[in-house]
Amino acid sequence: MSAVGVGVIGAGVISDTYLTNLTSFPDVEVLVVGDLDVDRARDRATKHGVPAWGTADDVLAHPDVQVVVNLTIPAVHVEVSSAAIAAGKHVWTEKPLGLDRAGTAQLLRDAEAAGLRVGSAPDTVLGPGFQSAKRAILDGVIGQPLFAQASFQTQGPDLWHPSPQFLFAQGAGPLLDIGPYYLTALISLLGPVDRVAAVGARPRPQRKIHTGPDAGTAFDVEVPTTMQVLAAFEGGAQAQGQFSFDSALERQGVLEIHGTEGSIVLPDPNMFDGASRYVQPLGVLRDGASTNQPWIDVPQEGAVVGRGLGLLDMVRAIAEGRPHIATGELGYHVLDVMLSAEESAAGAGFVTVESTLSAPVPTVPVDFDPFTRVL
Ligand SMILES: NC(=O)c1ccc[n+]([C@@H]2O[C@H](COP(=O)([O-])OP(=O)(O)OC[C@H]3O[C@@H](n4cnc5c(N)ncnc54)[C@H](O)[C@@H]3O)[C@@H](O)[C@H]2O)c1
């Protein structure tokens, strides 16, 4: 079998990272880059040695493209992914999978009916940092997980993104833009969420671009930029998370899980690698143990890569006839949890999350090697 043909739609900020990684994986071959802005597509393609560029339709019409990588803005994720499915291509999409339940569920039904796969970012949960922590938790180092804390608070991405408007529009804000990293990690460990409650605020109805050619331009903020979320998992665990673009104090990457036998601090779920460590036993909960136990480091195992890992797992899973890890089903459940939190913040009280997962999220084998040809 030859390398799997990939077409990228969306040649913006994150496409550079994707193209750097995808062009280094021998199992895939990037054949074409498409964008509304064809000059931008050409620049990205030529920078990364991709032989063709054009519009989104040019990507969909390419006969050798088997998988479309959707790196457009959230508002058109479903539209672009659905067009790819209609063209007979598998889809890997950036997060969130969609913006509303009905359209996103229809995308997944269409893909299933066509026998095509949908994979959804974030794929940071496939990285060696998170996976090493997950293996330690599955090995029982903290016992039965009981509760978790997640925290992401910054001044906001308008500081560094040259066109940040979409990050403050429907489908983004700190919850839908950043929440997927934390929620996908938590759901991968603790299983599906049963119900959520949340409060939200939008203290600055207008923000300003701070970098790039449009610096100084003001734009409207459509969504809450600070959210506090409380989640109860089907399996009995509980979590609290805060997501803010309004904080002078930067505190991001906080993800902790506390169990019957110990507590673990995970790496930043927005990163592919990073250290984790745990402490056990909890002295006051165990007869005779000191409360001053030393931290135990979790050795990080597995190849360090980055964005594109989820797509690579998906194309290998297709060839091997196994489920992939970052599925559309998982992306949909994460979206459903976030929309339920938004509804709660808008006054709905506790909201029952209707979707669930049909199986636990699989773990990445330690010897998964992106740089060795397996197809
Ligand atoms: N920027 C980051 O650091 C980052 C990190 C992780 C994930 N993401 C995700 O990646 C996605 C893209 O983010 P970005 O920062 O690259 O955005 P961006 O605005 O820089 O780029 C988006 C690109 O998509 C193109 N586009 C929009 N609609 C299109 C359509 N219908 N057909 C073809 N092209 C279209 C735009 O012209 C633009 O070039 C988002 O979902 C975002 O959440 C971004």
Side-chain angles (χ1 to χ4, degrees), residues 154-179:
T154 67
Q155 294 186 55
D158 38 347
L159 263 184
W160 57 267
H161 200 295
S163 43
Q165 293 92 327
F166 80 87
L167 295 166
F168 294 84
Q170 293 300 333
L175 182 61
L176 267 83
D177 183 50
I178 300 296

Short mmCIF file of all heavy atoms in Angstrom, two decimals, residues 154-179:
data_model
loop_
_atom_site.label_atom_id
_atom_site.label_comp_id
_atom_site.label_asym_id
_atom_site.label_seq_id
_atom_site.Cartn_x
_atom_site.Cartn_y
_atom_site.Cartn_z
N THR A 154 -5.86 33.21 31.11
CA THR A 154 -4.85 34.06 30.49
C THR A 154 -5.49 35.42 30.19
O THR A 154 -6.69 35.63 30.42
CB THR A 154 -4.35 33.49 29.15
OG1 THR A 154 -5.41 33.54 28.20
CG2 THR A 154 -3.86 32.05 29.29
N GLN A 155 -4.68 36.31 29.61
CA GLN A 155 -5.23 37.60 29.17
C GLN A 155 -6.02 37.47 27.88
O GLN A 155 -6.71 38.40 27.48
CB GLN A 155 -4.11 38.60 28.98
CG GLN A 155 -3.40 38.96 30.27
CD GLN A 155 -2.40 40.07 30.05
OE1 GLN A 155 -2.73 41.13 29.55
NE2 GLN A 155 -1.17 39.81 30.44
N GLY A 156 -5.84 36.36 27.17
CA GLY A 156 -6.62 36.14 25.96
C GLY A 156 -5.75 36.07 24.72
O GLY A 156 -4.67 36.67 24.66
N PRO A 157 -6.24 35.38 23.68
CA PRO A 157 -5.45 35.17 22.47
C PRO A 157 -5.41 36.38 21.55
O PRO A 157 -4.69 36.37 20.55
CB PRO A 157 -6.17 34.00 21.79
CG PRO A 157 -7.59 34.12 22.26
CD PRO A 157 -7.53 34.69 23.64
N ASP A 158 -6.16 37.46 21.88
CA ASP A 158 -6.07 38.68 21.07
C ASP A 158 -4.69 39.33 21.23
O ASP A 158 -4.31 40.19 20.46
CB ASP A 158 -7.18 39.67 21.42
CG ASP A 158 -7.51 39.73 22.90
OD1 ASP A 158 -7.05 38.84 23.64
OD2 ASP A 158 -8.20 40.66 23.32
N LEU A 159 -3.93 38.87 22.22
CA LEU A 159 -2.57 39.35 22.40
C LEU A 159 -1.65 38.87 21.28
O LEU A 159 -0.73 39.57 20.87
CB LEU A 159 -2.01 38.83 23.73
CG LEU A 159 -2.07 39.73 24.94
CD1 LEU A 159 -1.37 39.04 26.11
CD2 LEU A 159 -1.42 41.07 24.66
N TRP A 160 -1.85 37.63 20.80
CA TRP A 160 -0.87 37.04 19.88
C TRP A 160 -1.45 36.62 18.53
O TRP A 160 -0.70 36.45 17.59
CB TRP A 160 -0.19 35.83 20.53
CG TRP A 160 -1.14 34.75 20.98
CD1 TRP A 160 -1.69 34.63 22.22
CD2 TRP A 160 -1.65 33.67 20.20
NE1 TRP A 160 -2.53 33.54 22.26
CE2 TRP A 160 -2.51 32.93 21.03
CE3 TRP A 160 -1.45 33.25 18.88
CZ2 TRP A 160 -3.19 31.80 20.59
CZ3 TRP A 160 -2.13 32.11 18.44
CH2 TRP A 160 -2.99 31.41 19.29
N HIS A 161 -2.78 36.43 18.41
CA HIS A 161 -3.33 35.96 17.13
C HIS A 161 -3.60 37.17 16.22
O HIS A 161 -4.26 38.11 16.65
CB HIS A 161 -4.61 35.16 17.36
CG HIS A 161 -4.96 34.26 16.20
ND1 HIS A 161 -5.30 34.75 14.96
CD2 HIS A 161 -5.00 32.91 16.08
CE1 HIS A 161 -5.55 33.73 14.14
NE2 HIS A 161 -5.37 32.60 14.80
N PRO A 162 -3.12 37.13 14.95
CA PRO A 162 -3.31 38.30 14.07
C PRO A 162 -4.76 38.49 13.61
O PRO A 162 -5.12 39.60 13.18
CB PRO A 162 -2.40 37.99 12.87
CG PRO A 162 -2.20 36.50 12.89
CD PRO A 162 -2.30 36.07 14.32
N SER A 163 -5.59 37.44 13.68
CA SER A 163 -7.02 37.61 13.34
C SER A 163 -7.86 36.86 14.39
O SER A 163 -8.44 35.82 14.11
CB SER A 163 -7.32 37.10 11.93
OG SER A 163 -6.67 35.87 11.69
N PRO A 164 -7.90 37.42 15.62
CA PRO A 164 -8.48 36.68 16.74
C PRO A 164 -9.99 36.74 16.85
O PRO A 164 -10.56 36.15 17.77
CB PRO A 164 -7.86 37.39 17.95
CG PRO A 164 -7.67 38.79 17.50
CD PRO A 164 -7.36 38.72 16.02
N GLN A 165 -10.67 37.42 15.90
CA GLN A 165 -12.11 37.62 16.05
C GLN A 165 -12.84 36.30 16.27
O GLN A 165 -13.75 36.20 17.10
CB GLN A 165 -12.69 38.32 14.81
CG GLN A 165 -12.22 39.76 14.62
CD GLN A 165 -10.98 39.89 13.76
OE1 GLN A 165 -10.11 39.01 13.76
NE2 GLN A 165 -10.88 40.98 13.03
N PHE A 166 -12.44 35.24 15.50
CA PHE A 166 -13.17 33.98 15.60
C PHE A 166 -13.03 33.34 16.98
O PHE A 166 -13.87 32.54 17.39
CB PHE A 166 -12.75 33.00 14.49
CG PHE A 166 -11.46 32.24 14.73
CD1 PHE A 166 -11.45 31.04 15.41
CD2 PHE A 166 -10.26 32.72 14.23
CE1 PHE A 166 -10.27 30.34 15.62
CE2 PHE A 166 -9.08 32.02 14.41
CZ PHE A 166 -9.09 30.83 15.12
N LEU A 167 -12.00 33.74 17.71
CA LEU A 167 -11.78 33.16 19.04
C LEU A 167 -12.70 33.78 20.10
O LEU A 167 -12.76 33.31 21.22
CB LEU A 167 -10.31 33.31 19.44
CG LEU A 167 -9.37 32.50 18.54
CD1 LEU A 167 -7.92 32.93 18.72
CD2 LEU A 167 -9.52 31.00 18.82
N PHE A 168 -13.42 34.85 19.69
CA PHE A 168 -14.38 35.51 20.59
C PHE A 168 -15.80 35.43 20.01
O PHE A 168 -16.69 36.12 20.48
CB PHE A 168 -13.96 36.97 20.81
CG PHE A 168 -12.66 37.09 21.55
CD1 PHE A 168 -11.45 37.02 20.87
CD2 PHE A 168 -12.63 37.22 22.92
CE1 PHE A 168 -10.24 37.11 21.54
CE2 PHE A 168 -11.43 37.32 23.61
CZ PHE A 168 -10.23 37.25 22.91
N ALA A 169 -15.97 34.61 18.97
CA ALA A 169 -17.27 34.46 18.31
C ALA A 169 -17.92 33.15 18.77
O ALA A 169 -17.30 32.32 19.44
CB ALA A 169 -17.07 34.45 16.79
N GLN A 170 -19.20 32.97 18.37
CA GLN A 170 -19.89 31.71 18.65
C GLN A 170 -19.00 30.56 18.20
O GLN A 170 -18.43 30.60 17.12
CB GLN A 170 -21.21 31.64 17.87
CG GLN A 170 -22.25 32.65 18.32
CD GLN A 170 -22.66 32.50 19.77
OE1 GLN A 170 -22.57 31.43 20.34
NE2 GLN A 170 -23.08 33.59 20.38
N GLY A 171 -18.87 29.54 19.03
CA GLY A 171 -18.01 28.42 18.68
C GLY A 171 -16.62 28.54 19.25
O GLY A 171 -15.80 27.65 19.03
N ALA A 172 -16.35 29.62 19.97
CA ALA A 172 -15.03 29.75 20.59
C ALA A 172 -15.20 30.34 21.99
O ALA A 172 -16.07 29.90 22.72
CB ALA A 172 -14.08 30.55 19.72
N GLY A 173 -14.42 31.36 22.33
CA GLY A 173 -14.34 31.75 23.73
C GLY A 173 -13.47 30.72 24.43
O GLY A 173 -13.11 29.69 23.83
N PRO A 174 -13.11 30.98 25.68
CA PRO A 174 -12.19 30.06 26.35
C PRO A 174 -12.76 28.65 26.50
O PRO A 174 -12.00 27.68 26.48
CB PRO A 174 -11.95 30.70 27.72
CG PRO A 174 -13.09 31.64 27.91
CD PRO A 174 -13.50 32.10 26.55
N LEU A 175 -14.09 28.53 26.61
CA LEU A 175 -14.64 27.19 26.80
C LEU A 175 -14.55 26.36 25.52
O LEU A 175 -14.00 25.26 25.52
CB LEU A 175 -16.09 27.25 27.29
CG LEU A 175 -16.70 25.87 27.55
CD1 LEU A 175 -15.93 25.13 28.64
CD2 LEU A 175 -18.16 25.97 27.92
N LEU A 176 -15.08 26.88 24.40
CA LEU A 176 -15.09 26.05 23.19
C LEU A 176 -13.72 26.02 22.50
O LEU A 176 -13.40 25.07 21.80
CB LEU A 176 -16.19 26.49 22.21
CG LEU A 176 -17.47 25.68 22.45
CD1 LEU A 176 -18.29 26.27 23.57
CD2 LEU A 176 -18.31 25.55 21.20
N ASP A 177 -12.90 27.05 22.71
CA ASP A 177 -11.58 27.03 22.07
C ASP A 177 -10.57 26.21 22.88
O ASP A 177 -9.82 25.42 22.32
CB ASP A 177 -11.05 28.47 21.89
CG ASP A 177 -9.71 28.48 21.17
OD1 ASP A 177 -9.61 27.83 20.11
OD2 ASP A 177 -8.75 29.12 21.66
N ILE A 178 -10.55 26.41 24.17
CA ILE A 178 -9.53 25.77 25.02
C ILE A 178 -10.11 24.59 25.80
O ILE A 178 -9.42 23.59 26.04
CB ILE A 178 -8.93 26.80 26.01
CG1 ILE A 178 -8.29 27.95 25.22
CG2 ILE A 178 -7.94 26.15 26.95
CD1 ILE A 178 -7.09 27.56 24.37
N GLY A 179 -11.40 24.68 26.15
CA GLY A 179 -12.04 23.59 26.90
C GLY A 179 -11.82 22.21 26.29
O GLY A 179 -11.64 21.24 27.03
#
